[in-house]
Amino acid sequence: MMLAEPMMCDTCCTPLDHRIDAFGARYVHPDWVGKEWDHPAAPIPQDPGRLRGVCDFCSADHPVTAFFTRKAIVEKIGGETHVYAEPWNACERCAVHVRNRSPHLLMDRAVAVLPGTVNRPDQRARRAALKPVFMAFFQAEPEEVGL
């Protein structure tokens, strides 16, 4: 499978996710729990000078490093295929868990800091949603490449 070109939104400078479904391929804003996008995605090639730095694990601003994977990370959810773009940016706290190969500590951090409610049922649901992607990330053999 050929990976799609990394794109960003021309409006908000956020990296976009590539999705494939019955209607074809498209770029969409990331699915961040508790975040509603106030505009449609306006895909353009990533411009490092404008790209908004966001941790791909916990959504914190100001990532300090990035990781590439040796294998593509593709997830099927319903009728959609999600193709996760490279690189995976990480803030300092998430980077420690990636370097230590600690997927469960990484999930604990993401569940704790992502926006939204923090009651136990929501935390369990959030963790259940993150687990397949995070486990696929670690199985894809991430290597730190820096920013």
Side-chain angles (χ1 to χ4, degrees), residues 7-55:
M7 302 289 265
M8 66 184 245
C9 179
D10 192 30
T11 305
C12 64
C13 301
T14 300
L16 297 174
D17 287 344
H18 186 243
R19 302 276 169 82
I20 303 168
D21 60 19
F23 302 106
R26 67 189 194 290
Y27 289 91
V28 298
H29 285 102
D31 292 330
W32 291 337
V33 176
K35 171 70 173 167
E36 295 294 326
W37 298 97
D38 61 359
H39 61 277
I44 62 169
Q46 288 187 356
D47 174 358
R50 290 184 57 214
L51 188 63
R52 177 179 169 219
V54 176
C55 177

Side-chain angles (χ1 to χ4, degrees), residues 63-119:
V64 297
T65 192
F67 296 86
F68 274 91
T69 57
R70 292 180 191 228
K71 303 171 192 168
I73 299 173
V74 178
E75 179 184 36
K76 290 191 179 248
I77 301 175
E80 288 188 338
T81 301
H82 298 219
V83 181
Y84 295 95
E86 302 251 306
W88 290 68
N89 293 331
C91 66
E92 186 57 47
R93 293 189 64 193
C94 288
V96 168
H97 299 311
V98 174
R99 289 180 195 121
N100 292 334
R101 302 294 194 255
S102 303
H104 295 286
L105 292 175
L106 185 62
M107 282 183 273
D108 289 346
R109 169 158 171 75
V111 167
V113 301
L114 284 170
T117 60
V118 291
N119 62 46

